[in-house]
């Protein structure tokens, strides 16, 4: 793994996770990206559609802009055992309300569901985030999803993101209530053995799935 400061544009940073490779998105991913979004289940949860090559190009540009600004680190999740097949998307979004927290979001392509892709990839991203941003004070990662997204809730629980709060609906963008899940950094990341107590969280927020 490389630190985030070495690859501000996201060109070289890769993470590995039990047969998966997480890397920045590329132009050649457009066909697979369009195929992933051409799925009724996917469209139920994502906020913005990606239905045309033009929308895909804008989506990729937003990923590059996020890396360049240091506010969003998006990874294409690929399956090494299947020749680098695209199987999902994972993102770390910063800054949050303060440097001590950030948000994670993800989706899994329809053809890769049931293979444990999201929990494996999320664990790798979580470890990287806490290590890469420890000096900036990151000690809390948040994961949000709509209450009826049961699959996302299972991923959160499997990945050690404990349920923390029921969030009020924010229609029209978020028509239903949501769940806030939280994972805190290991105590070694704080520089002392003292327990960290994060500030109260606002109910507003969003992720790849909410």
């Amino acid at each position: 793994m490389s630190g985030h400061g070495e690859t501000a544009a996201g060109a070289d940073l890769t993470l590995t996770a039990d047969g998966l490779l997480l890397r920045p998105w590329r132009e050649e991913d457009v066909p697979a990206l369009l195929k992933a979004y051409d799925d009724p289940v996917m469209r139920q949860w994502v906020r913005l559609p990606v239905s045309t090559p033009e929308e895909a190009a804008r989506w990729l540009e937003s990923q590059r802009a996020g890396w360049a600004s240091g506010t969003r680190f998006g990874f294409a999740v690929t399956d090494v055992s299947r020749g680098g097949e695209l199987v999902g998307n994972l993102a770390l979004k910063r800054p949050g309300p303060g440097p001590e927290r950030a948000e994670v979001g993800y989706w899994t392509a329809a053809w890769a569901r049931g293979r444990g892709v999201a929990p494996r990839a999320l664990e790798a991203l979580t470890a990287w985030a806490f290590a890469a941003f420890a000096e900036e004070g990151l000690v809390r990662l948040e994961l949000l999803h709509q209450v009826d997204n049961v699959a996302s809730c299972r991923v959160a629980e499997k990945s050690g993101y404990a349920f923390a709060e029921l969030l009020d609906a924010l229609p029209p963008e978020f028509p239903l209530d949501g769940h806030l899940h939280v994972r805190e950094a290991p105590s070694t990341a704080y520089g002392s053995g003292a327990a960290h107590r994060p500030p109260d969280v606002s109910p507003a927020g969003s992720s790849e799935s909410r």
Side-chain angles (χ1 to χ4, degrees):
M1 295 182 196
S2 299
H4 74 284
E6 298 173 14
T7 55
D12 304 315
L13 178 63
T14 60
L15 310 176
T16 57
D18 190 18
L20 302 176
L21 176 70
L22 284 65
R23 57 163 175 77
W25 285 86
R26 304 168 180 165
E27 296 292 341
E28 55 265 35
D29 295 322
V30 165
L33 179 65
L34 289 170
K35 181 181 177 183
Y37 269 83
D38 188 23
D39 167 40
V41 175
M42 170 86 89
R43 293 197 298 270
Q44 182 181 358
W45 305 123
V46 296
R47 296 170 57 193
L48 298 174
V50 180
S51 304
T52 67
E54 292 76 20
E55 288 175 344
R58 287 194 293 269
W59 191 89
L60 288 177
E61 179 55 35
S62 72
Q63 306 307 306
R64 288 190 288 266
W67 278 94
S69 65
T71 58
R72 181 187 180 96
F73 302 89
F75 292 87
V77 183
T78 64
D79 191 329
V80 176
S81 68
R82 296 179 181 240
E85 175 189 54
L86 177 71
V87 292
N89 173 58
L90 210 60
L92 175 75
K93 289 170 267 188
R94 303 183 75 240
E100 75 280 355
R101 67 176 79 170
E103 183 184 341
V104 297
Y106 51 85
W107 51 253
T108 302
W111 56 86
R113 291 177 192 143
R115 287 160 36 189
V117 167
R120 283 183 285 156
L122 182 57
E123 184 61 36
L125 180 76
T126 299
W128 168 73
F130 282 138
F133 298 100
E135 292 186 1
E136 298 178 25
L138 179 67
V139 293
R140 174 181 171 114
L141 292 176
E142 301 176 348
L143 187 160
L144 296 85
H145 65 82
Q146 206 163 263
V147 291
D148 55 344
N149 193 340
V150 178
S152 189
C153 198
R154 285 198 297 264
V155 169
E157 292 170 347
K158 287 180 181 178
S159 304
Y161 283 74
F163 173 76
E165 186 178 352
L166 182 66
L167 307 177
D168 293 334
L170 295 172
E173 190 172 14
F174 305 119
L176 299 180
D177 291 347
H179 282 182
L180 168 67
H181 294 261
V182 171
R183 181 161 165 179
E184 296 189 7
S187 59
T188 53
Y190 309 147
S192 72
H196 175 76
R197 302 184 64 85
D200 293 337
V201 62
S202 165
S206 65
S207 73
E208 301 297 304
S209 55
R210 180 172 191 266

